[in-house]
């Protein structure tokens, strides 16, 4: 049985009226015969509902700052916030100088009750001293967790004093978990400070090689960034910096020297992309290195931008040789996957990006969504001016980049830019809805109740999301693959990544495990009941 408005309403009817009214705005069935389908996104999850979202601290320290390998990232707060985030995101890094790679460390001020009562500033200053003594890093970040904001520790003052004492940059991030409705607020806070205090502080005026690019919104989960870099370097691009997977403080300082910024994850880093254009005149191009077709299209769009004969020829040569190598293997896996169906629910960009790979494998995506994306990630960037700023988004300190008089340089003429914009997504992102088939479901901040309900109706063959729901889904007899951590596998980006993904999910489909699981609805009477304002009836 497929999904239709009536069936969707039946699911929603199980909610109390207030909850139903709220959740209805976060779900729609794609229809291309209507011009716009608005979704509510980036608003608070209803208390008590089991969401997959994380917090602002997770988005700031965990997502954007954490992967920068040559800075020490100190978490100011109780040990749980640091320890629980320790290496769980699989943002890999390697360094030519092993003494400047701190990715494997978890550094926390381990706040105790007495610190909450009497303040944690002294302890934080002491931890910075210790870090300098043990690691001697080039720079340090301080990330605040909830109690820090609640007791009013002045991390900025501690950072300033430490900079004077140690002579290295100490950046303070006021990213207390409650600063936003999800990790999305933390991305924004991290973007602002990196732009204000790090990017453009390098001494280079020009990149040392031709075709210099920054790769933004690529976090090297399971080695994705390495695979993308391998391809770009083979073609002849010079990767100035990656933000921030396997990223380096030293490289990010010189990000202003790039001539094009590539944006893989729009949600987490579109702020920096926009600000780089304002400040240095560098346009950004939306790319998607997930999927073979996505990778090829991204490479061809880059070639169109640089408009260089040799680069274009090399792009085509690399595409041809990669295809010849991987297609026969990919096609083998396709035989296993073809005709299957998927749910694809991930953070703020993968819920869209991985639909490419599914469709290349002959798998139809029936339902997709994001945990914490904004309306533009669903509906396209043209809706940005219509998004209302609410009290929660006002929590994020405002920062506006201004033109750098010395370093601003138009990379292509305004006429050429307009011409290119008609052909390639320069400064443009169409969002998830654009690529989805009519009749498919788009859900924002999917919760556990809806997860189970949609599974019962649509019975997908594979569900890609995260650790919080993985085992619930598997117990329902459905192949479940984590698309946050890749379940200890990867890379899944680029040409090699597409093959690896195909191999991994084919193994999942071919596993005899599923024969031993009976989904609950097959042999157990399901409890009939409803939840009302007063409780369970
Ligand atoms: Fe961007 Fe990400 Fe994602 Fe994200 Fe994330 Fe992640 Fe993600 Mo998990 S930065 S929005 S905050 S692509 S950690 S590497 S997988 S939710 S879809």
């Amino acid at each position: 049985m497929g999904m239709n408005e009536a069936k969707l309403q039946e699911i929603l009817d199980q909610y109390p009226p207030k909850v139903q009214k709220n959740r209805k705005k976060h779900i729609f069935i794609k229809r291309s015969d209507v011009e716009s389908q608005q979704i509510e996104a980036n608003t608070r999850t209803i208390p008590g509902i089991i969401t997959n979202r994380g917090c602002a601290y997770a988005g700031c320290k965990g997502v954007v700052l954490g992967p920068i390998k040559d800075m020490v990232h100190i978490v100011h707060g109780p040990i749980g916030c640091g320890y629980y985030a320790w290496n769980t995101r699989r943002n890999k890094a390697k360094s030519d100088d092993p003494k400047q790679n701190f990715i494997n460390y978890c550094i926390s001020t381990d706040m105790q009750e007495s610190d909450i009562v009497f303040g944690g500033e002294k302890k934080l200053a002491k931890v910075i001293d210790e870090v300098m003594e043990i690691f001697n890093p080039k720079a340090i970040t301080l990330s605040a967790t909830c109690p820090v904001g609640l007791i009013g520790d002045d991390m900025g003052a501690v950072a300033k004093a430490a900079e004077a004492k140690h002579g290295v940059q100490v950046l303070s991030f006021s990213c207390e978990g409650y600063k936003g409705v999800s990790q999305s607020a933390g991305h924004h806070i991290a973007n602002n400070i990196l732009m204000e205090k790090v990017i453009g502080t390098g001494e280079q005026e020009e990149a040392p090689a031709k075709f210099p690019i920054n790769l933004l919104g690529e976090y090297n989960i399971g080695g994705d960034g390495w695979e993308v870099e391998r391809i770009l370097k083979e073609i002849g691009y010079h990767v100035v910096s990656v933000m921030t997977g396997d990223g380096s403080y030293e490289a990010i300082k010189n990000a202003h020297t790039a001539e094009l910024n590539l944006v893989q994850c729009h949600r987490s880093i579109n702020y920096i992309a926009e600000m780089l254009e304002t400040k240095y005149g560098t346009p950004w191009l939306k790319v998607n290195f997930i999927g073979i077709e996505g990778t090829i299209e991204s490479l061809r769009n880059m070639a169109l931008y640089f408009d260089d004969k040799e680069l274009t020829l090399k792009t085509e040569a690399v595409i041809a040789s990669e295809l010849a190598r991987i297609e026969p293997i990919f096609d083998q896996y396709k035989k296993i996957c073809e005709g299957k169906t998927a749910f694809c629910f991930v953070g703020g960009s993968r819920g869209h990006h991985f639909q490419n790979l599914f469709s290349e494998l002959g798998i139809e995506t029936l339902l997709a969504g994001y945990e914490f994306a904004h309306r533009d990630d669903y509906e396209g960037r043209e809706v940005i001016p219509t998004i209302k700023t609410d009290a929660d988004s006002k929590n994020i300190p405002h920062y506006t980049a201004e033109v750098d008089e010395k370093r601003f340089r138009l990379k292509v003429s305004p006429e050429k830019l307009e011409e290119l914009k008609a052909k390639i997504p320069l400064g443009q992102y169409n969002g998830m809805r654009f690529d989805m088939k009519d009749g498919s479901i788009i859900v924002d901040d999917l919760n556990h109740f809806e997860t189970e309900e949609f599974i019962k109706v649509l019975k997908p063959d594979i569900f890609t999301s995260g650790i919080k729901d993985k085992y619930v889904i598997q117990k329902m007899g459905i192949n479940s693959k984590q698309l946050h951590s890749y379940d200890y596998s990867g890379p899944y980006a680029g040409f090699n990544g597409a093959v690896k993904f195909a191999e991994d999910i084919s193994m999942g489909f071919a596993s005899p495990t599923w024969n031993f699981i009976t989904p609950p609805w097959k042999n157990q009477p399901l409890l009939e009941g409803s939840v009302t304002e007063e409780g369970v009836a």
Side-chain angles (χ1 to χ4, degrees), residues 63 89 183 187 219 221 265 268 346-350 372 483-484:
V63 174
R89 187 155 167 266
Q183 49 268 68
H187 301 148
Y219 300 93
I221 309 298
C265 168
S268 63
V346 206
S349 80
R350 295 184 176 178
F372 51 77
L483 279 191
H484 297 258

Side-chain angles (χ1 to χ4, degrees), residues 5 8 25-40 375-380 382-383 432-434 436-442:
E5 295 289 347
L8 177 59
K25 295 184 202 152
H26 294 263
I27 306 171
F28 68 80
I29 298 177
K30 157 89 189 263
R31 283 178 57 181
S32 48
D33 59 341
V34 290
E35 204 184 309
S36 74
Q37 285 184 292
Q38 195 172 316
I39 194 161
E40 191 159 293
R375 275 183 59 207
D376 36 319
D377 304 295
Y378 292 101
E379 300 173 58
E382 59 277 5
V383 304
M432 169 190 281
R433 176 182 176 266
F434 187 81
M436 289 191 72
K437 272 195 185 162
D438 275 17
S440 52
I441 304 158
I442 299 179

Side-chain angles (χ1 to χ4, degrees), residues 5 7 27-28 33 41 177 186 190 218 226 230 255-257 312 323 325 343 455 491 515:
E5 295 289 347
K7 194 71 215 163
I27 306 171
F28 68 80
D33 59 341
E218 170 47 65
W226 290 335
R230 175 188 75 82
H256 59 277
T257 61
T312 307
L323 281 183
R325 180 174 63 83
F343 281 12
I455 286 179
N515 301 329

Side-chain angles (χ1 to χ4, degrees), residues 199-214:
I199 294 169
T201 58
E203 276 157 21
Q204 285 177 15
E205 290 305 329
E206 269 184 36
K210 271 170 98 178
F211 313 121
I213 53 111
N214 290 315

